[in-house]
Amino acid sequence: MNKARTSSTVVVALLIAILSFSCEKKSEAIAVTTGTQNKLKIALVQLSQNPSFTDMQEGFIAGMEELGYGSDKVEYLQYDAGGSISTLHHILNSLESQKVDLLVPLVTSVTQAAVSKELDIPIIFISVTDPVEAGIMASLQTPDKNATGTCNVVPMEELFVLAKELTPHIRSVGIIYDPSLPNSVITVNRAKQYLGTAGFVVAEAIVTNSSEVQSAARTLATVADAIYVPIDSTILSAISQVVDIALEKGKPVYGSAPSMVTSGALASVSVSEWETGRQTAALAHQYFEGTPIEQIPAKIVDNFLYTVNGDTAKALNITIPAHSDAPVQLVDVSAGARP
């Protein structure tokens, strides 16, 4: 792990620094440097490119800037594996040689891969649905694998109560997802449990890559009254196809992220990806201020955002209630506006 260098040439100070380094544990925090030659290196790693991940990264960088980590103090190394697991492992394997000070993986699959490497780099992850179930940490309160971060709560009841208000005729829900993605599987299982209890009929369509999304969406739009898209990077990369097919059939799409609504889904109840990234920055600040990773509990982000796409509602002849039963005001994200 990088250690902050000082400009002092005093031999005693140098010996102390060497002794400190030799006794260091890999989760020990490092000091923030202010000189341009000693910028912190933060690696942001994602499996693929999609709007949700872009918002997370932008929120994280904005949060770091708010906390005083501007471009004079931080160098960001941003990596995209292009959907390839082998490329992801190659990226992760290269980080120690690049002397990265902090690794920030996005969502569960990348975080699991990073933790499995047992790198000598602290990890602060963004938006892992259930880090305990995913084997990333034994407890949210006590990180034990040199990793902590933010957890996104998936509010099933709130979403489908909103769905019944906006589209009271729906009796069946089709769910499209990639079973290789841990975040997606966890979200889908919770959705099926809630929908079954609430009396909905559930249909499923499974895909293994984005090229299969269009066909799966067409099947669901034929057999279900509405389509639900969980937290799933494979589907999100082709969300416009799901929306277009659903609209052709006059069916609403309900999403699990605001970016899905910006892309044309009718509505979602979820946490803001940008805000999740921003709150992750606060954990990074704790670490850089001297708190070891194992003493930084994971943070649950649960300030839900109700979003609706007014253009999609109009296309489906849906009237947004003037006084929604939703506990907060619906935010219209028509025309690509960020919630």
Side-chain angles (χ1 to χ4, degrees):
M1 183 185 299
N2 285 352
K3 304 297 290 182
R5 297 194 180 101
T6 70
S7 59
S8 172
T9 58
V10 179
V11 174
V12 173
L14 179 60
L15 290 174
I16 291 173
I18 294 172
L19 179 60
S20 174
F21 180 84
S22 67
C23 297
E24 177 189 17
K25 295 180 180 179
K26 70 177 181 179
S27 61
E28 185 180 339
I30 67 175
V32 178
T33 56
T34 57
T36 56
Q37 294 181 346
N38 292 311
K39 288 184 180 181
L40 294 167
K41 278 189 178 181
I42 299 179
L44 291 148
V45 182
Q46 62 187 30
L47 181 59
S48 59
Q49 178 67 39
N50 65 58
S52 286
F53 294 167
T54 299
D55 282 353
M56 289 176 193
Q57 292 204 34
E58 290 180 355
F60 178 81
I61 293 172
M64 292 296 287
E65 290 177 348
E66 289 175 9
L67 293 166
Y69 301 84
S71 58
D72 60 325
K73 294 183 180 179
V74 181
E75 176 186 357
Y76 292 103
L77 309 178
Q78 294 173 281
Y79 295 96
D80 181 348
S84 168
I85 296 298
S86 61
T87 300
L88 172 63
H89 284 287
H90 176 75
I91 290 169
L92 295 172
N93 289 336
S94 73
L95 296 181
E96 284 187 327
S97 65
Q98 297 186 68
K99 299 182 179 180
V100 169
D101 296 301
L102 180 67
L103 168 57
V104 181
L106 277 64
V107 305
T108 303
S109 55
V110 179
T111 305
Q112 285 179 316
V115 168
S116 72
K117 297 290 182 183
E118 297 185 351
L119 302 173
D120 191 21
I121 304 172
I123 297 169
I124 296 183
F125 52 79
I126 301 178
S127 191
V128 170
T129 300
D130 191 333
V132 175
E133 183 174 336
I136 293 166
M137 53 202 310
S139 164
L140 295 182
Q141 297 300 316
T142 55
D144 59 338
K145 296 181 180 179
N146 204 27
T148 189
T150 50
C151 315
N152 57 322
V153 174
V154 182
M156 291 301 167
E157 181 175 358
E158 290 84 350
L159 172 61
F160 289 108
V161 166
L162 176 62
K164 288 294 288 184
E165 182 180 3
L166 297 177
T167 50
H169 65 282
I170 65 172
R171 298 291 181 270
S172 58
V173 177
I175 304 176
I176 181 172
Y177 69 104
D178 181 347
S180 71
L181 301 175
N183 262 13
S184 186
V185 172
I186 292 171
T187 309
V188 168
N189 288 339
R190 293 175 181 174
K192 290 194 295 185
Q193 181 179 15
Y194 174 79
L195 290 168
T197 302
F200 290 90
V201 175
V202 177
E204 295 181 49
I206 292 173
V207 303
T208 58
N209 58 68
S210 59
S211 68
E212 299 173 357
V213 170
Q214 187 174 44
S215 176
R218 197 171 299 281
T219 297
L220 289 180
T222 302
V223 303
D225 298 327
I227 294 176
Y228 170 63
V229 179
I231 300 172
D232 190 306
S233 58
T234 301
I235 310 303
L236 186 54
S237 65
I239 188 67
S240 61
Q241 296 179 28
V242 179
V243 169
D244 290 346
I245 290 168
L247 287 176
E248 286 177 10
K249 297 289 187 179
K251 306 293 177 67
V253 174
Y254 288 98
S256 55
S259 60
M260 296 183 187
V261 182
T262 303
S263 298
L266 175 60
S268 76
V269 180
S270 56
V271 297
S272 163
E273 297 111 320
W274 191 91
E275 180 62 24
T276 301
R278 179 176 175 272
Q279 293 194 29
T280 307
L283 303 182
H285 176 59
Q286 283 185 254
Y287 170 69
F288 289 133
E289 285 288 286
T291 305
I293 290 292
E294 60 266 26
Q295 295 179 21
I296 304 175
K299 179 177 178 55
I300 297 174
V301 182
D302 58 3
N303 46 329
F304 301 143
L305 184 65
Y306 287 66
T307 52
V308 63
N309 190 306
D311 292 341
T312 299
K314 184 177 180 180
L316 293 170
N317 296 315
I318 294 171
T319 300
I320 308 300
H323 300 286
S324 172
D325 289 338
V328 296
Q329 182 180 2
L330 294 172
V331 179
D332 188 347
V333 293
S334 301
R338 172 183 284 160

